[in-house]
Amino acid sequence: MKSLIFESLELLSLTEKKARKVMFHPRLTVITGKNRVGKSSLIKCIYWTLGAEPAVVHPKWKDVNVKSLLTFTVDGTRYQAVRNKKTVAIFDANNELLLSTSSFTSELGPFIAELLDFKLVLSNRQGEPETPPPAYAFLPLYVDQDGGWQRPLTSFANLGQYTRFRPALIQFHSGIRPNEYYELTAKKKKLEIEKAVFEQDRTIVCKARDKLKLQPEFSGLELSAEEHEGAINDLLLRLRSLLTSRQARAVELADILDQRASLDQQIAMVQASANELADDAAWSADQADEIMCPTCGVVHVNDFRNRFAILADREECFEFLNGAQQKRRQLADKVVILQAAIREADSTVGEMQRILEEKRGELTLEEVIEARGRAAAYQVFEVQIRELDHSIGEKAGDISDAEDEIGKLEDPARRDMIENYYAKLMGAYMRNLNVQEADNDAVTKIAGSMVETGSEQPRLLLAYVLALADTIQKFTTAFSAPLVIDSPVQQEQDMSNAPAIIRQVISKRPNGGQTIIGTISLHGNKPEDAEVITFTENRSVLRASEYEATYRRMTPLLSLM
């Protein structure tokens, strides 16, 4: 697992001729100050510098046109990220340019992914696999003041380029599915695309061959005795196969005709029985309540129950007739299809026999050359089709191998271990934050189902963010990054809940890691092993006194972008 640590953030506005540099503590940095002193604007710039757009940016901050420089380390190696409007550049510790781009998906995303070992692959709206932009690498580890306190994983803008990305994102970051799973998934999707291209090419080649009416039939115009003999043998084999197929269809047709004849007899018999039962029902309706049998002299009751039994028998006859007629129509359809196939086979057999009986006779050179050319063209198409079939088969085999490897990485025991670890943390954080009304079964699932409202809702979401961040820190196979939380005290929390919120956020993470928060007040808490930075100037996080030094520091880097 790689470790991303932020060292400092420098902001520069040429418009206002002001700047600001903030040094981050390796464990905990708390930025405090009243409303409208610029805490949130500075915090939004942290991940913004790495290409992750915050959900909401104040228009006045946009007008200042801030340029930013974020100094960070990855496993102790120092890098610098510089952002100027829509362009992000990455430099090494010696100011050597590694990347400069305004394409966050196709260029910056893969660069960050390689730097942090972030191997998640998502399918775009065209179904193509790609490495997502940086926002998806940092999404579980950032809560934006304006866009992140309603539901999980919403703190960055422009997240609509992928559908249903959240389950994959959570499974990746939490380590439920390791990096290798997504590398293999990307490989499989690439193989599927390549296979589809080969299949499309094969379809085009076959259509071209058919459009030119190129057939592998013997025409009697081969140029050599050897080719002539080979063509006749091929034609005889095809003829034998066709005759065998025709005979099989004829046998099937005879069987179906027998079935239809037998069914016709059954239909006639049942129809006659139905007619007799109708006569019996009509006769009994006109008789007295008792009827004497003329043969044995037994008296039978002629009530409704007995008359109804006659009608029920007649209905059973009708049900049989209905099913039988439907089956007869199905048999008739099969007869039509088989008869058409037999006629087509007879026609083809006749044509093939005519070709076999045809003699070479007196042929013109033009006819011989034309026949030879068509045969050569057919062979070219056949070679292409065979090559494409081979490539399609190879890709199918590679896809099957990748699926086998992916299946091996689906580890139910590891999933249960991680989900149980998260659930215990979530339960503990909910107790610490006084969340009492939440659906425990729902919120302790790592998918993050947050359905609460009111003042408990932000506390519940904070518990989720902290539990997920700690789970990531412990189990991820990719990287850990700073947890950045802006304004955790939301919706007028009371005097007991507000201190508990700050106390929980500034406490040491169970598995280490760096935390950066912005808050109006610490509510009586005194952080240890931390840096507390207080902003005091209203609407002016930037300072004129820091402009010259920051300008000299950033200008050489800006000129290289």
Side-chain angles (χ1 to χ4, degrees):
M1 178 183 73
K2 291 188 175 182
S3 176
L4 170 65
I5 298 293
F6 294 147
E7 291 189 341
S8 66
L9 176 68
E10 298 173 66
L11 305 178
L12 174 69
S13 171
L14 301 180
T15 303
E16 291 193 339
K17 289 187 168 45
K18 293 181 178 181
R20 186 68 176 258
K21 180 176 182 178
V22 173
M23 300 294 296
F24 297 116
H25 191 276
R27 283 290 173 262
L28 174 64
T29 302
V30 181
I31 301 173
T32 67
K34 297 180 180 180
N35 288 328
R36 294 184 293 275
V37 296
K39 302 186 306 296
S40 294
S41 294
L42 183 140
I43 289 172
K44 289 174 189 287
C45 284
I46 298 174
Y47 279 123
W48 176 79
T49 309
L50 291 172
E53 304 286 339
V56 179
V57 178
H58 197 285
K60 290 186 177 180
W61 185 254
K62 291 182 179 179
D63 294 340
V64 175
N65 191 21
V66 168
K67 309 174 195 311
S68 61
L69 166 59
L70 179 69
T71 303
F72 61 95
T73 63
V74 177
D75 285 351
T77 300
R78 184 171 287 106
Y79 298 92
Q80 304 166 96
V82 179
R83 180 156 183 180
N84 183 12
K85 296 182 179 179
K86 296 294 184 180
T87 301
V88 173
I90 308 294
F91 297 86
D92 65 13
N94 299 317
N95 295 345
E96 292 292 329
L97 179 65
L98 304 177
L99 174 74
S100 179
T101 182
S102 58
S103 178
F104 292 176
T105 299
S106 62
E107 294 184 3
L108 182 59
F111 182 90
I112 295 293
E114 183 67 25
L115 188 66
L116 299 177
D117 202 20
F118 175 63
K119 302 300 184 182
L120 177 65
V121 175
L122 297 175
S123 295
N124 60 27
R125 293 188 177 272
Q126 289 71 46
E128 300 166 342
E130 65 184 18
T131 299
Y136 295 86
F138 308 124
L139 189 55
L141 301 164
Y142 174 61
V143 184
D144 182 70
Q145 176 191 17
D146 301 298
W149 289 108
Q150 298 304 313
R151 55 190 294 245
L153 307 177
T154 57
S155 290
F156 291 127
N158 306 321
L159 296 174
Q161 69 186 97
Y162 305 107
T163 59
R164 296 176 56 83
F165 67 87
R166 286 178 174 83
L169 193 74
I170 292 171
Q171 290 172 351
F172 170 82
H173 279 286
S174 65
I176 290 176
R177 287 176 170 169
N179 253 336
E180 293 80 8
Y181 177 92
Y182 295 94
E183 290 175 319
L184 286 168
T185 299
K187 177 183 177 181
K188 179 192 169 192
K189 289 182 178 179
K190 182 180 179 182
L191 289 168
E192 288 172 339
I193 292 173
E194 292 172 350
K195 178 173 175 281
V197 170
F198 285 133
E199 290 172 339
Q200 184 179 18
D201 290 346
R202 188 186 190 283
T203 300
I204 293 172
V205 172
C206 289
K207 284 183 178 179
R209 181 196 64 187
D210 296 341
K211 188 173 183 180
L212 294 173
K213 298 180 180 179
L214 299 175
Q215 299 295 333
E217 296 178 353
F218 167 65
S219 64
L221 300 178
E222 283 69 19
L223 297 180
S224 69
E226 183 178 346
E227 290 174 343
H228 182 85
E229 186 68 24
I232 290 177
N233 289 335
D234 290 342
L235 192 59
L236 285 172
L237 288 173
R238 291 183 60 220
L239 180 59
R240 186 178 298 112
S241 175
L242 191 59
L243 288 172
T244 301
S245 176
R246 188 218 183 268
Q247 184 178 8
R249 288 194 177 98
V251 171
E252 184 179 358
L253 177 61
D255 180 61
I256 290 176
L257 292 174
D258 287 342
Q259 292 181 45
R260 189 170 68 176
S262 174
L263 194 59
D264 287 342
Q265 291 179 354
Q266 296 176 31
I267 290 172
M269 291 173 61
V270 174
Q271 184 65 60
S273 297
N275 293 336
E276 290 178 3
L277 289 169
D279 293 340
D280 291 345
W283 180 81
S284 65
D286 296 334
Q287 302 304 310
D289 293 338
E290 293 183 348
I291 302 173
M292 179 181 292
C293 176
T295 303
C296 63
V298 176
V299 176
H300 297 277
V301 178
N302 185 27
D303 57 6
F304 174 78
R305 181 174 60 83
N306 288 318
R307 290 197 297 272
F308 183 79
I310 296 173
L311 294 174
D313 291 341
R314 185 166 178 257
E315 286 301 317
E316 289 184 7
C317 291
F318 286 150
E319 289 182 9
F320 172 82
L321 289 173
N322 181 56
Q325 291 291 358
Q326 185 176 358
K327 185 176 180 181
R328 192 182 188 284
R329 286 191 293 271
Q330 292 174 351
L331 292 175
D333 292 341
K334 290 182 179 180
V335 167
V336 171
I337 294 172
L338 287 170
Q339 286 177 337
I342 290 173
R343 285 195 298 271
E344 183 180 354
D346 288 342
S347 175
T348 305
V349 168
E351 178 64 18
M352 294 172 70
Q353 288 176 336
R354 184 191 64 78
I355 293 174
L356 282 170
E357 294 167 358
E358 189 179 77
K359 295 183 179 180
R360 294 180 66 96
E362 294 180 1
L363 300 174
T364 66
L365 179 61
E366 181 181 358
E367 290 173 326
V368 172
I369 293 174
E370 180 184 355
R372 184 66 173 179
R374 293 178 67 81
Y378 175 80
Q379 288 301 320
V380 169
F381 280 106
E382 286 299 296
V383 169
Q384 290 183 357
I385 291 171
R386 285 196 295 271
E387 290 176 349
L388 289 169
D389 284 340
H390 178 72
S391 298
I392 291 169
E394 281 190 332
K395 296 300 178 184
D398 292 341
I399 291 170
S400 179
D401 292 342
E403 289 174 343
D404 291 342
E405 293 300 319
I406 290 172
K408 294 176 183 177
L409 294 173
E410 291 280 13
D411 187 348
R414 178 178 174 83
R415 175 186 288 271
D416 290 344
M417 176 180 66
I418 293 173
E419 289 181 342
N420 290 336
Y421 180 86
Y422 159 80
K424 290 179 180 178
L425 283 176
M426 185 65 178
Y429 285 136
M430 286 169 60
R431 290 190 296 273
N432 294 344
L433 294 170
N434 193 28
V435 178
Q436 300 178 359
E437 303 298 327
D439 181 346
N440 191 70
D441 290 338
V443 300
T444 53
K445 291 181 171 59
I446 201 166
S449 299
M450 306 290 120
V451 294
E452 293 303 309
T453 59
S455 64
E456 276 205 354
Q457 198 273 344
R459 300 203 303 276
L460 176 62
L461 191 142
L462 177 61
Y464 175 75
V465 170
L466 296 175
L468 182 59
D470 292 343
T471 303
I472 292 171
Q473 186 75 16
K474 183 173 180 62
F475 292 106
T476 183
T477 60
F479 70 98
S480 65
L483 177 60
V484 180
I485 301 177
D486 189 12
S487 303
V489 180
Q490 294 281 317
Q491 298 186 11
E492 301 295 332
Q493 300 293 329
D494 61 33
M495 294 304 294
S496 62
N497 285 326
I501 290 171
I502 297 299
R503 183 165 55 252
Q504 194 64 73
V505 173
I506 67 175
S507 63
K508 291 183 179 180
R509 303 268 62 80
N511 302 296
Q514 185 182 33
T515 303
I516 300 170
I517 71 166
T519 181
I520 293 176
S521 169
L522 287 170
H523 295 278
N525 289 280
K526 296 181 179 180
E528 297 179 358
D529 191 23
E531 180 73 24
V532 179
I533 303 170
T534 303
F535 289 176
T536 57
E537 298 180 34
N538 191 35
R539 298 187 185 278
S540 184
V541 65
L542 304 180
R543 296 172 172 174
S545 59
E546 295 188 33
Y547 177 76
E548 289 297 331
T550 305
Y551 179 82
R552 288 194 299 272
R553 166 93 171 102
M554 292 182 63
T555 298
L557 300 177
L558 290 168
S559 66
L560 296 174
M561 295 177 63

